[in-house]
Amino acid sequence: MKERTIASIDVGTTKVCTTIADVNGSGALQVVGVGIVPSVGLHKGLVVNISEARESIRESVKKAEQACNYKIDSAYIGVTGRHVASSNNRGVVAITRNDRIVRPDDLRRVLASAQSIKVPNDRKLLHVIPRSYGVDGQAGVENPVGLSAFRLDVETHVITAAETSLRNLVKCVRSIGIDTEDLVLEPLASSEAVLTPDEKQVGVILADIGGGTTDVAVFKDGSIWHTSILPVAGYQLTRDISIGLGLPFDVAEEMKKRYGSVIPVYEKKTESKAISQDGHGASYQDLCDIIRARVEEIMKLILLELPTSEYETLVPAGLVFTGGSSNLAGMATMGRDLLQLPVRVGTPASLPGISDSLCDPAYATSVGLVLWGARNSGRQIWRSRRFGTALRRLALRITDVFARK
Ligand SMILES: Nc1ncnc2c1ncn2[C@@H]1O[C@H](COP(=O)(O)OP(=O)(O)OP(=O)(O)O)[C@@H](O)[C@H]1O
Ligand SMILES: [Mg+2]
C-alpha cells in the first residue's frame, strides 16, 4: 500500500531527469514516472541561465507527471559543482543525567555540536553525516543509544557549498512551483544506487563522470570519508575530439557516443579504419587516442585529489564508475590497468515500476536521489518550503491525525 510519494530532480549539465516514486509502509519504492529532457542553461553542474534552466526543468517535470498523472509539489534535488567542499569534523557532548544512559536526544545534541563549525557567510551546510560515534574515548561505536557514558562524541563528514549556487538552483525549481525537499550532493546520491554495503565497508571510490563534472565520493568503514568534484568530464572529451579532428561539436559528440572507446587501437597509420558521422570523416585510431588521453587524465586526477596517496590500503574494493561517460567501451579494463585497482562500471539496479529507462550509469544519480529520499525523509538539513505549502501540509497532517482517531 502506497504511504507517500517522493520525487527527485537530477539537474545535470547535459540532461534533466525527474523521477517520481511511490513508497510503501516498509520503505519499498515503485517508480511511477520518469521525465528525461536535454538540459540548457547549465555549465559544469551550475545554473548559468535561470530562465533556460527553468524551462528544461519544467519540461522534465511535466513529462514525469504525465506518465503517472500526479502533480508533484516538492522534490529532492541533486547538487554538484567545484564550489562544494568537504571535511571531517568532530562533535562532543557530556551526558549529565544521573543514569548516564545515552538517549536518541543525545545523538541529536552531539550532531548539533558537530554542526556548530564556523561556516563562512557565503557558504551553507549541505550535509553533516555521522561516520561513527565514540563513548568515553572508545571509538568506532555504530549506535551508542542505550550505552552508559560520561562523554559522547561523533565523527562527521561535513559538506558545504556556495550559497549563491544553491540559491540559484532552489530558485529555479521554485519558480515552477516545486519546493526543495532536500539538496543532496550528487555523488552521495549515485553511491546509494550502485555501491554495495561490503564495498563501502572495505573502502571504495565512486566516480560519476557526467557531462560537466566528475563527482568523487570515497567510502571507508561503512561511511563517507571524502568527497570532491572535478570540473572535467564528457564535455571536455567532446571538445578535444572537435578540436583535434576539426569537427563541429555536435558531430564530435555523436562520433564519441557511437564509436568512442578507450581500448588501445594497434593499427598502422596507413591502415587506420575510417569512420564517418553526418558527412564528416575521421580515423578511428585518432578518435580513440584523443579519448584515451583525456580519460587517462581524469582517472589520474581522481586519485590525485584524494587526501592520501596510499590508496591501495584506503580503497581495496577499488573504483566504481557511473555517469554517462562511463559508457565508453573499455573503461573498466583501462581503469584496472592504469590504477592497479579493481574497477567496475556501476549501473543502477532496476527499481520496480517503469524504470527500465534508468538502467544506465548516466541515471545513477537520479535513482540514488529517490533512494536517498526514501531513506532520509525527516532528516533534511536544507528544506525550503513556501509558507503556504508548509501551512497546507500542516493542515493535512492535522486532518490526518483526527481522521485516524
Ligand atoms: N555511449 C557513450 N559513450 C561516451 N560518452 C557518452 C555515452 N553516452 C553518454 N555519454 C556522455 O555522457 C555525458 C552525460 O553524462 P550524464 O548524463 O551522466 O551527465 P549529466 O548528469 O548531465 O552532467 P553532470 O552530472 O556532469 O552535471 C555526456 O558528455 C555524453 O557525451
Ligand atoms: Mg550527473
Side-chain angles (χ1 to χ4, degrees):
M1 249 281 278
K2 161 183 152 184
E3 192 177 67
R4 63 203 160 98
T5 297
I6 55 174
S8 75
I9 311 177
D10 173 13
V11 189
T13 308
T14 61
K15 52 104 186 24
V16 181
C17 175
T18 302
T19 311
I20 305 176
D22 285 339
V23 188
N24 71 14
S26 52
L29 287 172
Q30 169 93 11
V31 176
V32 289
V34 177
I36 302 165
V37 301
S39 63
V40 214
L42 279 115
H43 183 64
K44 291 188 193 284
L46 299 180
V47 175
V48 289
N49 182 325
I50 289 209
S51 55
E52 281 183 357
R54 181 200 302 140
E55 284 320 302
S56 308
I57 299 171
R58 193 200 303 278
E59 262 311 294
S60 154
V61 170
K62 197 167 104 192
K63 261 190 163 179
E65 286 180 336
Q66 277 169 351
C68 53
N69 216 5
Y70 288 6
K71 190 103 196 87
I72 58 168
D73 62 7
S74 70
Y76 288 82
I77 315 288
V79 172
T80 184
R82 196 64 174 156
H83 60 102
V84 175
S86 73
S87 63
N88 289 330
N89 196 38
R90 311 191 82 196
V92 187
V93 290
I95 310 292
T96 49
R97 282 182 306 272
N98 288 344
D99 64 3
R100 311 270 179 212
I101 301 284
V102 178
R103 303 219 162 92
D105 194 44
D106 298 315
L107 296 195
R108 277 190 283 278
R109 277 197 309 128
V110 78
L111 275 176
S113 102
Q115 278 181 37
S116 62
I117 51 163
K118 187 127 188 57
V119 180
N121 283 346
D122 57 347
R123 301 188 68 77
K124 278 269 171 208
L125 270 179
L126 198 56
H127 298 287
V128 177
I129 302 166
R131 298 175 53 230
S132 73
Y133 295 93
V135 286
D136 294 345
Q138 182 202 331
V141 177
E142 225 169 86
N143 183 2
V145 172
L147 297 179
S148 282
F150 285 95
R151 202 186 77 171
L152 172 68
D153 50 61
V154 64
E155 296 272 349
T156 55
H157 189 67
V158 178
I159 301 171
T160 62
E163 181 167 14
T164 43
S165 307
L166 299 183
R167 287 218 174 276
N168 284 338
L169 187 57
V170 169
K171 196 166 144 191
C172 231
V173 175
R174 186 179 287 177
S175 68
I176 59 160
I178 295 180
D179 289 331
T180 298
E181 198 62 56
D182 204 2
L183 292 172
V184 183
L185 186 66
E186 291 187 5
L188 286 181
S190 308
S191 66
E192 292 273 331
V194 298
L195 296 186
T196 66
D198 275 356
E199 285 173 330
K200 289 188 189 175
Q201 190 62 37
V202 293
V204 68
I205 303 173
L206 174 118
D208 187 295
I209 315 180
T213 58
T214 294
D215 302 351
V216 181
V218 180
F219 291 80
K220 185 79 185 163
D221 302 327
S223 56
I224 183 78
W225 183 79
H226 171 75
T227 38
S228 63
I229 313 288
L230 312 173
V232 39
Y235 172 84
Q236 281 73 24
L237 280 171
T238 305
R239 210 186 47 185
D240 289 352
I241 298 166
S242 160
I243 295 168
L245 301 181
L247 299 169
F249 190 87
D250 292 351
V251 174
E253 171 73 12
E254 285 314 309
M255 226 178 226
K256 173 183 83 173
K257 289 204 233 170
R258 188 162 158 204
Y259 302 103
S261 162
V262 293
I263 300 166
V265 183
Y266 300 109
E267 290 172 336
K268 291 197 191 107
K269 268 279 171 223
T270 48
E271 292 167 9
S272 182
K273 189 167 85 185
I275 48 175
S276 69
Q277 180 71 41
D278 303 332
H280 295 268
S283 132
Y284 177 64
Q285 180 165 18
D286 288 349
L287 175 84
C288 295
D289 284 351
I290 292 172
I291 294 175
R292 209 178 143 75
R294 181 62 89 167
V295 171
E296 190 171 322
E297 185 204 1
I298 295 175
M299 287 188 183
K300 285 183 176 162
L301 268 177
I302 291 169
L303 293 192
L304 276 175
E305 285 267 324
L306 297 183
T308 166
S309 55
E310 316 230 317
Y311 52 82
E312 294 92 340
T313 44
L314 176 70
V315 286
L319 216 149
V320 178
F321 285 122
T322 57
S325 302
S326 60
N327 279 312
L328 281 165
M331 287 291 282
T333 316
M334 177 179 174
R336 278 192 288 267
D337 291 349
L338 186 73
L339 311 173
Q340 299 294 307
L341 286 171
V343 176
R344 68 178 178 91
V345 173
T347 303
S350 134
L351 295 173
I354 51 154
S355 60
D356 282 358
S357 51
L358 300 177
C359 287
D360 182 301
Y363 299 109
T365 308
S366 312
V367 172
L369 279 171
V370 281
L371 292 172
W372 176 282
R375 214 158 60 85
N376 290 287
S377 172
R379 285 193 246 160
Q380 297 94 324
I381 284 192
W382 182 289
R383 192 168 222 215
S384 105
R385 290 217 180 289
R386 279 161 300 150
F387 192 54
T389 320
L391 275 184
R392 202 170 69 234
R393 278 183 185 238
L394 186 64
L396 278 175
R397 226 166 266 162
I398 293 171
T399 325
D400 197 32
V401 169
F402 280 110
R404 270 191 247 149
K405 282 199 170 163

